[in-house]
Amino acid sequence: MYAFEYHRPTSVKEAAGLAGQAEDTKFLAGGHTLLPTMKLRLAGPANLIDLGQIAELRGIERSGDTITIGAMMKHAEVANSAEVKQAIPALAEMAELIGDPHVRNRGTIGGSVANNDPSADYPAACLALNATIITNQRKIAADDFFQGIFTTALQEGEIITQVSFKVPSQAAYTKFRNPASRYALVGVFVAKHADGVRVAVTGAGSNGVFRLPEMEKALSGNFAAEAIDGIAVATDEMNSDIHADAAYRAHLVGVMARRAVQAAAARG
Amino acid sequence: MTATGIGAPVRRKEDQRFVTGQGRYVDDFNRPGQAHAYFLRSPHAHAAIRSIDTGPAMIMPGVIAVFTGDDLAADKIGGLICGWMIHSKDGSPMKAGPHPALAQGKVRYVGDHVAVVIAETLAQAKDAAEAIVVHYDVLPAVVDTAQAAKASVQVHDVSPDNTVFNWHLGNKDETEAAFARAKHVTKIDLVNNRLVPNPIEPRAAVGEYDLGTDNYTLYTTSQNPHVARLVLSAFIGVAPEHKLRVIAPDVGGGFGSKIFIYAEETVCVWAAKKVKRPVKWTSDRSEAFLSDAHGRDHVTHAEMATDENGKIIGLRVHTTANLGAYLSTFSSSVPTYLYAPLLSGQYDIPAIYCEVDAVYTNTAPVDAYRGAGRPEATFVVERLVEKTARELRQDPAEFRRRNYITQFPHATPVIMTYDTGDYAASLDKALEIADYKNFQQRKQESARRGKLRGIGFSSYIEACGIAPSQAVGSLGAGVGLWESAEVRVNPTGSVEVLTGSHSHGQGHETTFAQLVSDRLGISIDQVSIVHGDTDKVQFGMGTYGSRSGAVGMSAIAKAIDKVIAKGKKVAAHVLEASEGDIEFKDGRFGVAGTDRSMAFGEIALQAYIAHKFSGQDLEPGLKEGAFYDPTNFTFPAGVHICEVEIDPDTGVTKIERWTAVDDFGVIINPMIVEGQVHGGIAQGVGQALLEGAVYDQSGQLITASFNDYCMPRAIDLPAFQVGMTVTPCPSNPLGIKGCGEAGAIAAPPAVINAITDALGHEDIAMPATPQAVWRAAQKARMPMAAE
Ligand SMILES: Cc1cc2nc3c(=O)[nH]c(=O)nc-3n(C[C@H](O)[C@H](O)[C@H](O)COP(=O)(O)OP(=O)(O)OC[C@H]3O[C@@H](n4cnc5c(N)ncnc54)[C@H](O)[C@@H]3O)c2cc1C
């Protein structure tokens, strides 16, 4: 790790101010992505702004048909939240599938969404649950937010404060773990909303998280696994690595989607 | 048996220390004035070094020194050695290329040591390492085991075709004749995947030099500190043997990877004198992936000949073994004498012939890893036996039974003489525990749910406690393979046992104390086991090859016998009886036929007080030592049965049942033995389903972190059903065979035999990842395509 200055603001405003003034800054949330890259000397920010003491970034709140989660909420807090379990059980289950207990008790929703790792779970939930990413400057629809691997709509120094999810009538997330890292090799989040079904896929795409319009259309007509039986997933935009080549990933997208639909439909 | 004696499931004494964080590992040692070493490693798999400019690093903050291979050469520090000489078929010695501790002119794998920075802090050393300017002429690399001998790339000048040796074992003519008259020949091509050892504690070293006494101390993560001292002094020449103290304190797992003498500890001792400061190096996990000696990496073609009665009559094997870029300490013995002699398995095979070509590649050195050669041999034999049974449409269990060796001793065509065993007994017990008779029912039940169920056997044998010294010497070993012990009885009757074995997870502090407790009738709390320090223990060969029970404890038993003999002499004086009338039983020395007796501790006190006998007749004190050299290897054997269920939609293999019935001879502590079995199976399942080191064509290690290198987790494993059978080992006084590697040896073929049974075809390689199994399941669905 290279040496850096450590800052610990207590408000979003203060944090944004620091980011505006200091050179070469990075926000620190749970640190579960950022710190390993710093230890490996792949990242070396001069200034680290720890968001851990900012009360405004915490909390989970339901209002009407949305659930709003503070950016600094840890995966375990989301997994165990009574509100989330009641409103969107699939989201709580997704959070419970992230990493291991250490990761879930450090990693945050804000960090995961900001990072947009192509194998992370939250991006799929955001797309399928028609989420809005709320920052200290604006609100961004999830469909516009994720812009390719490790790339988002966030500007330099912009802070995610909350993520709000639309409560679906039925939803489920199925994850096929990378055997080694346990990130998603393929993760499919299926959610049925009043205005149609959303199917979002993480882990598989060479350009990060994406939706499957053909499946969404079929499922909007008939929310049952059979409805997507014949739909082939194209291999050309699929990731390929030693764990799974494009053909296997494409195949798994179909399997995981069908299983997600079954699980969501079983929820009644 | 005392409550803490042989056979008692005593809880491990050392665990209190380990689970409360009180263990003392090398990295816990911080010496006054200590500086930190950081190694600049090659980013290239193969390159000529045109120049190294350490100047910019020298002026960085906190830098004490920067050294390169030239500095080691100037001090006449020798290269790292390979301690086992193998001769090729034509009689020529193996081709050992130079192995400098810091590169001289060339780097040969990613992670090879280019230079070392010694600085006040580790961060400063790393910063400075980034400032070293190295000009490389990058060369093409060779990584592929099977292609290495044909490659145009040349790793070492001494070996134009990258071949270290072409070695063979067995009776070639008989084998050819057996195949000529065979009714059936079964052929198989196998890859034994390369593994990264991954002990939980990475390697570490602290070198220290005392200006006043000219003494050196090395704290190191070693399984065999005396061997490390011998190699560092006699061969590498960093310090004279009597001036070098090597301490291997608590060591957090080794699995073989800490047997070897590496560049880093060599440099730490040498540099400590150069900079007149203690020098510490602790590997990080990334360095461990790149530079710990890897395991396995064989490519094999094998054939098994059977006659009209389904009797195995011949086996021929050709293996190419990848030894990496340099010959690590015992690398040459692993694919030769630790491999081919096991190719007879548990079977009566009259003719066996094995050829092994060892090759250099631009990859990390490969050496012994849990099982060392024996897992590779067992994989060949058990995959081939299973496939033969299938081709002959015979039940795999009964096919094995028909071919088992039943008469002992049994001399195989590959230089082993099995001393004892009852293979059918283990098979019967395993079939019972595994509920084999109802397997078809379970398979049908799985099929109804769209799942593929399979069962796989592994009827393994291994050889432990490699010995005797004369025999291994004749096969090329550079060392003897005995063990030493010293039993020191204190005046209060408590006992210290100094052993040349080394515990790095095995539980010696408990099992060795159990032996003492059993023999001397004292509680294990009265016994301390001392190991891992060359200043305390006079000499020892260390722990690997499941040898510490069979060899290490036998040495202790021998020393205890001497203590009892001496105690009898003391007792004779004290109890005023003739020595011949003194009996030692249940911890008391007594006069036969009388009620006169004294406890062990009382006699110990008398031995030191020495009031009751003349020092001219009998030396005071009670301390005895022994060296024990066995008469043969030991041959643990058993049957493992693995039952899997495959989800053909995803390729996920779930192990539903695991039965292990092992014959380890006499068992000192069944709880510890069971733990060793569990751990071994977990490692074997890791190899079969999850683990595999992958280099790309340029020689970059793709699986260089846990993000890509998949270690087994609890969730990957079933609850093991463990059973034991016992045939005591005749070649050591305790009847012990050894248990440390059995699981890792037995497991891989059991898993793959189960998967191939489920799939209905043989075409799957290790690790059988979901992707690989899915693909193989696709193939199974197209029945004709499989042929
Ligand atoms: C062993 C391991 C296993 C894991 N497994 C999984 C898994 O299975 N699935 C999964 O989805 N993830 C997994 N993760 C990732 C983990 O879940 C975290 O979500 C992830 O590390 C990012 O969250 P963080 O809070 O740790 O962010 P940090 O590491 O602190 O930050 C990540 C990035 O986001 C930026 N950032 C953080 N918060 C904000 C904010 N509020 N506004 C703007 N920018 C911000 C930081 O500046 C940094 O660039 C795993 C991590 C580890 C170490």
Side-chain angles (χ1 to χ4, degrees):
Chain A
M1 205 179 265
Y2 297 105
F4 56 85
E5 288 293 328
Y6 175 75
H7 309 271
R8 195 159 59 177
T10 54
S11 71
V12 171
K13 197 158 171 249
E14 191 190 341
L18 281 164
Q21 291 151 21
E23 291 279 292
D24 189 14
T25 61
K26 267 275 182 215
F27 297 117
L28 174 67
H32 262 45
T33 291
L34 184 54
L35 295 182
T37 50
M38 288 171 65
K39 283 190 195 167
L40 291 170
R41 298 188 158 217
L42 299 172
N47 288 281
L48 210 52
I49 305 170
D50 186 350
L51 304 178
Q53 300 299 309
I54 304 177
E56 318 155 55
L57 296 179
R58 299 191 44 79
I60 295 177
E61 205 176 293
R62 166 141 196 196
S63 91
D65 67 344
T66 60
I67 275 265
T68 302
I69 302 176
M72 283 303 288
M73 295 304 282
K74 294 167 184 147
H75 308 325
E77 291 171 323
V78 174
N80 296 321
S81 154
E83 277 96 350
V84 176
K85 280 191 197 164
Q86 203 264 323
I88 320 178
L91 183 60
E93 287 162 14
M94 184 232 78
E96 183 66 30
L97 286 171
I98 296 176
D100 52 44
H102 304 282
V103 175
R104 291 195 290 277
N105 283 290
R106 288 296 308 173
T108 65
I109 181 170
S112 181
V113 169
N115 195 47
N116 193 17
D117 186 306
S119 311
D121 298 297
Y122 264 119
C126 290
L127 283 190
L129 296 171
N130 198 5
T132 304
I133 317 301
I134 303 165
T135 75
N136 60 333
Q137 296 167 16
R138 55 190 169 140
K139 293 184 176 178
I140 311 165
D143 284 333
D144 303 325
F145 183 83
F146 301 105
Q147 302 184 340
I149 55 171
F150 300 108
T151 312
T152 68
L154 285 179
Q155 305 286 329
E156 200 61 42
E158 189 172 5
I159 300 170
I160 299 177
T161 55
Q162 289 167 317
V163 181
S164 81
F165 298 91
K166 283 265 181 305
V167 177
S169 59
Q170 287 165 312
Y173 179 62
T174 49
K175 174 176 182 178
F176 193 89
R177 290 181 160 123
N178 176 315
S181 74
R182 316 217 99 200
Y183 275 83
L185 199 68
V186 170
V188 179
F189 207 118
V190 173
K192 188 179 175 195
H193 300 274
D195 57 352
V197 173
R198 283 176 166 245
V199 179
V201 180
T202 189
S206 54
N207 206 25
V209 66
F210 64 94
R211 286 171 63 186
L212 282 170
E214 208 183 333
M215 283 194 188
E216 293 183 348
K217 195 154 157 255
L219 290 167
S220 297
N222 173 21
F223 194 63
E226 309 88 77
I228 53 172
D229 260 351
I231 299 178
V233 179
T235 55
D236 42 349
E237 303 257 298
M238 291 287 140
N239 234 336
S240 183
D241 57 32
I242 58 165
H243 305 287
D245 62 16
Y248 179 52
R249 273 194 163 89
H251 166 78
L252 281 180
V253 171
V255 176
M256 292 295 119
R258 279 193 295 281
R259 290 183 184 183
V261 173
Q262 271 162 6
R267 232 172 215 133
Chain B
M1 176 178 122
T2 60
T4 56
I6 290 174
V10 180
R11 291 226 183 150
R12 297 189 354 150
K13 289 175 77 173
E14 47 270 74
D15 283 351
Q16 174 74 21
R17 169 166 103 246
F18 295 148
V19 301
T20 57
Q22 300 303 305
R24 290 262 285 160
Y25 299 88
V26 171
D27 191 58
D28 294 320
F29 287 81
N30 290 301
R31 308 298 301 157
Q34 172 179 291
H36 296 265
Y38 182 73
F39 288 85
L40 178 68
R41 293 174 187 276
S42 170
H44 307 295
H46 199 192
I49 298 176
R50 246 195 301 146
S51 65
I52 305 177
D53 184 2
T54 60
M58 288 297 300
I59 56 171
M60 297 279 287
V63 172
I64 298 163
V66 182
F67 298 117
T68 67
D70 287 348
D71 299 297
L72 282 167
D75 275 10
K76 302 207 164 36
I77 301 299
L80 308 180
I81 62 154
C82 178
W84 197 304
M85 172 52 77
I86 297 294
H87 288 89
S88 284
K89 288 173 206 168
D90 65 5
S92 63
M94 65 184 187
K95 300 190 176 93
H99 191 180
L102 295 174
Q104 282 168 3
K106 211 177 175 197
V107 284
R108 294 182 174 86
Y109 68 102
V110 172
D112 204 353
H113 316 73
V114 175
V116 63
V117 180
I118 295 161
E120 298 294 340
T121 70
L122 179 59
Q124 288 171 333
K126 283 188 182 181
D127 287 344
E130 287 180 3
I132 297 173
V133 182
V134 186
H135 283 286
Y136 294 103
D137 283 333
V138 179
L139 302 166
V142 54
V143 296
D144 191 74
T145 308
Q147 300 306 319
K150 290 171 244 160
S152 54
V153 176
Q154 194 181 328
V155 182
H156 284 282
D157 294 344
V158 292
S159 176
D161 59 356
N162 294 320
T163 298
V164 187
F165 51 76
N166 306 108
W167 174 89
H168 66 163
L169 189 73
N171 42 8
K172 186 177 184 192
D173 295 345
E174 283 97 320
T175 306
E176 294 311 319
F179 276 84
R181 69 183 164 84
K183 176 84 191 316
H184 184 85
V185 173
T186 302
K187 302 179 179 179
I188 202 162
D189 286 291
L190 298 167
V191 172
N192 207 286
N193 42 327
R194 178 187 274 246
L195 303 176
V196 181
N198 283 314
I200 198 160
E201 178 207 22
R203 291 188 293 117
V206 184
E208 195 171 359
Y209 176 70
D210 185 324
L211 268 168
T213 61
D214 192 33
N215 284 341
Y216 299 77
T217 304
L218 170 66
Y219 300 83
T220 181
T221 48
S222 175
Q223 301 178 212
N224 41 332
H226 291 87
V227 176
R229 182 175 67 154
L230 181 63
V231 171
L232 285 166
S233 58
F235 295 93
I236 302 176
V238 288
E241 193 173 15
H242 66 294
K243 289 285 184 188
L244 174 60
R245 176 184 185 184
V246 178
I247 299 173
D250 286 333
V251 173
F255 310 113
S257 68
K258 293 173 182 169
I259 298 171
F260 323 125
I261 289 73
Y262 289 91
E264 292 88 353
E265 58 255 29
T266 304
V267 168
C268 282
V269 188
W270 167 77
K273 182 173 184 181
K274 297 290 278 188
V275 302
K276 301 188 177 62
R277 302 265 299 265
V279 174
K280 179 185 221 167
W281 169 79
T282 301
S283 171
D284 62 30
R285 189 57 68 183
S286 306
E287 290 182 282
F289 270 101
L290 294 177
S291 71
D292 287 4
H294 293 176
R296 319 280 191 252
D297 206 340
H298 285 193
V299 174
T300 294
H301 175 79
E303 302 182 359
M304 182 165 272
T306 38
D307 69 9
E308 54 287 353
N309 301 316
K311 174 85 191 51
I312 305 168
I313 55 171
L315 171 65
R316 58 185 172 208
V317 178
H318 182 278
T319 292
T320 306
N322 187 350
L323 297 183
Y326 300 99
L327 298 184
S328 173
T329 316
F330 289 111
S331 57
S332 55
S333 66
V334 178
T336 51
Y337 289 109
L338 298 180
Y339 170 66
L342 276 302
L343 285 171
S344 195
Q346 297 186 353
Y347 312 104
D348 182 7
I349 309 178
I352 302 177
Y353 181 62
C354 174
E355 292 171 287
V356 178
D357 299 335
V359 293
Y360 286 117
T361 58
N362 295 111
T363 62
V366 178
D367 206 324
Y369 170 67
R370 200 171 191 171
R374 294 155 291 165
E376 296 91 316
T378 303
F379 193 64
V380 172
V381 175
E382 288 304 296
R383 286 288 293 121
L384 204 40
V385 163
E386 189 83 24
K387 190 170 182 224
T388 302
R390 287 172 186 166
E391 288 180 358
L392 299 177
R393 307 205 177 286
Q394 294 191 14
D395 178 90
E398 294 317 306
F399 178 73
R400 285 177 167 84
R401 188 193 302 279
R402 180 166 320 126
N403 283 287
Y404 278 160
I405 294 161
T406 53
Q407 303 291 316
F408 296 92
H410 172 90
T412 72
V414 276
I415 67 165
M416 284 293 176
T417 301
Y418 297 171
D419 47 11
T420 183
D422 185 347
Y423 307 142
S426 294
L427 179 64
D428 288 337
K429 195 164 182 177
L431 290 173
E432 179 71 34
I433 296 174
D435 189 26
Y436 183 54
K437 62 179 188 301
N438 291 313
F439 170 72
Q440 284 306 328
Q441 234 166 290
R442 297 195 291 276
K443 190 175 172 83
Q444 283 157 20
E445 193 277 322
S446 295
R448 279 196 290 279
R449 288 182 287 107
K451 303 282 164 55
L452 306 171
R453 190 175 276 259
I455 196 162
F457 292 82
S458 177
S459 201
Y460 76 93
I461 191 162
E462 59 150 330
C464 293
I466 47 175
S469 298
Q470 272 192 329
V472 297
S474 73
L475 303 178
V479 289
L481 282 164
W482 41 265
E483 197 44 271
S484 82
E486 191 177 313
V487 174
R488 299 201 305 218
V489 184
N490 297 317
T492 57
S494 63
V495 171
E496 284 129 25
V497 176
L498 284 68
T499 170
S501 298
H502 185 278
S503 190
H504 33 277
Q506 294 84 349
H508 294 170
E509 287 171 49
T510 306
T511 48
F512 288 13
Q514 284 181 258
L515 169 62
V516 178
S517 168
D518 195 89
R519 290 291 163 99
L520 297 181
I522 60 177
S523 153
I524 54 168
D525 298 331
Q526 294 275 88
V527 185
S528 291
I529 306 300
V530 179
H531 67 93
D533 184 342
T534 59
D535 261 14
K536 294 179 181 167
V537 179
Q538 187 255 329
F539 207 93
M541 298 312 301
T543 289
Y544 38 83
S546 304
R547 67 194 304 275
S548 300
V551 191
M553 287 178 83
S554 293
I556 298 171
K558 200 173 162 192
I560 290 174
D561 287 344
K562 294 185 188 176
V563 165
I564 293 171
K566 171 85 183 283
K568 282 182 178 173
K569 288 190 167 53
V570 176
H573 285 283
V574 179
L575 294 168
E576 292 171 344
S578 82
E579 194 188 327
D581 288 339
I582 302 291
E583 295 171 338
F584 183 66
K585 223 176 120 230
D586 300 330
R588 297 189 76 81
F589 291 94
V591 184
T594 75
D595 60 0
R596 276 186 296 145
S597 72
M598 285 177 85
F600 176 76
E602 295 174 285
I603 292 300
L605 185 62
Q606 291 297 332
Y608 284 96
I609 294 174
H611 291 173
K612 294 284 168 68
F613 54 87
S614 146
Q616 312 315 307
D617 296 343
L618 184 62
E619 281 181 25
L622 196 51
K623 180 193 88 165
E624 298 291 345
F627 286 76
Y628 176 76
D629 201 345
T631 55
N632 193 357
F633 285 76
T634 68
F635 298 96
V639 174
H640 287 217
I641 304 177
C642 168
E643 196 169 318
V644 300
E645 192 182 78
I646 293 170
D647 177 349
D649 280 344
T650 58
V652 169
T653 301
K654 184 158 184 282
I655 298 176
E656 294 285 338
R657 293 169 175 235
W658 197 286
T659 305
V661 176
D662 300 289
D663 177 359
F664 297 135
V666 172
I667 284 171
I668 305 297
N669 183 324
M671 182 200 70
I672 288 181
V673 167
E674 206 172 307
Q676 290 288 323
V677 172
H678 288 195
I681 297 170
Q683 253 167 319
V685 168
Q687 168 159 33
L689 293 181
L690 310 165
E691 299 182 48
V694 179
Y695 284 91
D696 71 13
Q697 284 309 306
S698 72
Q700 295 294 332
L701 183 61
I702 300 192
T703 52
S705 81
F706 292 131
N707 245 345
D708 287 305
Y709 189 90
C710 185
M711 294 293 281
R713 295 172 167 89
I715 198 172
D716 300 313
L717 304 163
F720 304 114
Q721 303 294 317
V722 177
M724 301 282 167
T725 59
V726 178
T727 60
C729 177
S731 74
N732 64 65
L734 299 170
I736 296 174
K737 294 184 180 178
C739 67
E741 296 157 293
I745 292 167
V751 175
I752 300 301
N753 286 340
I755 291 176
T756 49
D757 180 47
L759 292 172
H761 68 77
E762 305 287 334
D763 193 8
I764 184 91
M766 297 193 292
T769 60
Q771 166 168 247
V773 173
W774 173 71
R775 238 184 216 106
Q778 301 286 104
K779 188 169 167 180
R781 281 172 171 168
M782 299 178 280
M784 297 322 292
E787 293 309 307

